[in-house]
Amino acid sequence: MNQRTRRPAPVITSWETISPFGVGRAAFRDGILAGAAPEPVPPAGDQVPGISTRPVPDFDVRAVLGKKGTRSMNRVTGLTVATIRELLAGEPEAEESGQRRGTALVLGTTTGSAQSMMDFTHTSLTGKRPYHVDPAVFPNTVMNHSAGSAAIWYGLTGPNVTVAGGRAAGVLAFNYVRRLQVSGRARTVLCGAAEEYSTARAWLRRHSGTADGAAADEPTVLGEGCAMLRVEAEAERGLADVLAVRSGVFAAPEEAGRVLVASVRRALADAEVAPGDLWAVAADGPLDAGGGAAGAALDELLRETGARRISCVDRIGDTASAAGMFQVVSLLVHAESEPSDRPRIGLVTSVDRDGVAGCAVLSVRPTGGQAPTSRPA
């Protein structure tokens, strides 16, 4: 055991989701544990060949959040604001006492709202004058609009960060949280990721599966939603400690496996645990360039560990930048359903087609949420 002085690990103390299972953590938990998968449906609006979707059922921004301040709010911002509302529910005293003033928000995304960007550009190019556009919808075209709107909505005056990392956004967001807390910039951070379904995203997905931009042939189910965690710099009670986060980049899909395995090895070494200590692995599916190679390399590394595999992509669809955070909460759901009096080590991995692979090592706390007195052997 390394005897060096270790900083306290960030602690996940609560979480919430809005997912294809519905609004709230109860809907997600019940859906995951039941092994259910909402039936894919044809997309609303324009049909994109080979693309079906698992949308958040009956999610209408103005119906969920009310009419005030939502006239021009896009869907991904609505998902983000509504999920944070669920996370902060039951804390009116925190708002009244100003405890949220220093709370930070770190939000993972791919590009923000591709639909908003394309709609605004289309209006400018097809209108009578290029400037004949609706200025009220321009903020929707900015990548960090969702994080900024949510912070204003709930009075979160701490650092406000948008991490654009595609499917690796969850892992990269964890690393940003760690840096904020180590540097003393924030103690409480809301950390999550959100993705909307849209026709624009469907067309981008269809034409991003090949190197030359030709249409991909394989059928794809696109999901949407938002998963949000509360992460404290220190906490006596909580759900899981974030022991280590590592990531790397690759230039070609065939390098993804090597980069992912190297990241996992470094993260496990940082956490001072061995592959055989792993209780569960939540890996994303081989959906992107390099994902298949990365999955095979990870299987080889963990072949003899006996770690259970947890997947949610086959239940809720490809949620892109939100996939990593949905993997984290899926791992927490399974841990909650199987109480233990010992801490358990979980590994979350992500691979993005644009050349990022990474992982996070979590120590799920024993039932009751007390901080472990020692790391798992």
Side-chain angles (χ1 to χ4, degrees):
M1 177 75 73
N2 193 331
Q3 298 300 315
R4 66 189 178 190
T5 302
R6 178 181 288 275
R7 296 179 186 275
V11 184
I12 300 170
T13 59
S14 61
W15 59 271
E16 268 294 349
T17 69
I18 293 180
S19 71
F21 291 119
V23 176
R25 61 182 290 168
F28 185 81
R29 181 188 60 230
D30 293 347
I32 288 293
L33 294 181
E39 192 66 25
V41 299
D46 296 341
Q47 303 295 305
V48 179
I51 300 291
S52 57
T53 180
R54 289 192 174 107
V56 176
D58 302 321
F59 184 83
D60 178 82
V61 173
R62 304 200 80 185
V64 172
L65 295 173
K67 295 183 178 179
K68 184 178 180 181
T70 57
R71 183 180 67 84
S72 58
M73 182 180 286
N74 61 14
R75 189 170 178 86
V76 68
T77 302
L79 290 167
T80 303
V81 173
T83 305
I84 294 178
R85 181 188 66 179
E86 299 297 312
L87 186 66
L88 299 179
E91 298 182 358
E93 69 283 356
E95 183 175 11
E96 293 171 0
S97 64
Q99 294 178 21
R100 293 178 189 164
R101 288 175 189 162
T103 299
L105 175 59
V106 177
L107 186 69
T109 185
T110 302
T111 60
S113 173
Q115 189 68 54
S116 297
M117 297 176 186
M118 291 190 181
D119 285 348
F120 193 83
T121 303
H122 180 269
T123 301
S124 179
L125 293 174
T126 59
K128 189 173 182 179
R129 294 285 187 271
Y131 46 86
H132 285 178
V133 294
D134 183 356
V137 301
F138 175 74
N140 288 333
T141 67
V142 181
M143 191 179 294
N144 63 354
H145 176 61
S146 297
S149 296
I152 293 170
W153 197 282
Y154 297 110
L156 310 176
T157 59
N160 189 271
V161 182
T162 297
V163 180
R167 296 183 65 80
V171 169
L172 301 179
F174 264 145
N175 192 46
Y176 208 102
V177 170
R178 182 188 61 82
R179 292 169 60 189
L180 285 176
Q181 294 179 334
V182 167
S183 63
R185 297 291 303 279
R187 289 189 58 80
T188 301
V189 183
L190 307 186
C191 174
E195 196 74 55
E196 68 178 10
Y197 174 81
S198 67
T199 303
R201 180 185 161 211
W203 279 115
L204 289 172
R205 179 66 180 84
R206 177 165 170 76
H207 286 278
S208 61
T210 57
D212 59 359
D217 294 328
E218 75 278 12
T220 302
V221 180
L222 297 182
E224 65 172 1
C226 177
M228 191 68 59
L229 315 172
R230 176 191 290 274
V231 185
E232 301 284 351
E234 293 182 71
E236 187 61 30
R237 289 184 177 275
L239 302 175
D241 300 80
V242 184
L243 299 183
V245 181
R246 285 284 188 171
S247 63
V249 298
F250 56 89
E254 55 269 25
E255 298 175 359
R258 175 183 59 77
V259 173
L260 178 62
V261 167
S263 297
V264 171
R265 291 186 185 281
R266 294 200 305 270
L268 293 177
D270 291 346
E272 300 179 3
V273 297
D277 297 327
L278 290 174
W279 159 70
V281 178
D284 56 4
L287 299 171
D288 302 317
L298 188 65
D299 287 342
E300 179 62 24
L301 175 66
L302 306 178
R303 181 162 49 91
E304 297 180 356
T305 64
R308 63 181 300 178
R309 294 303 184 99
I310 292 173
S311 174
C312 63
V313 67
D314 55 342
R315 312 280 174 79
I316 62 175
D318 178 9
T319 51
S321 64
M325 284 299 164
F326 275 120
Q327 290 167 229
V328 172
V329 297
S330 295
L331 190 145
L332 295 176
V333 164
H334 282 279
E336 181 182 333
S337 70
E338 304 166 14
S340 172
D341 58 0
R342 296 169 56 84
R344 290 166 288 180
I345 299 298
L347 175 70
V348 177
T349 68
S350 295
V351 178
D352 183 70
R353 67 168 62 240
D354 286 337
V356 180
C359 66
V361 179
L362 310 181
S363 176
V364 180
R365 291 190 173 186
T367 303
Q370 292 283 359
T373 56
S374 62
R375 293 175 183 277

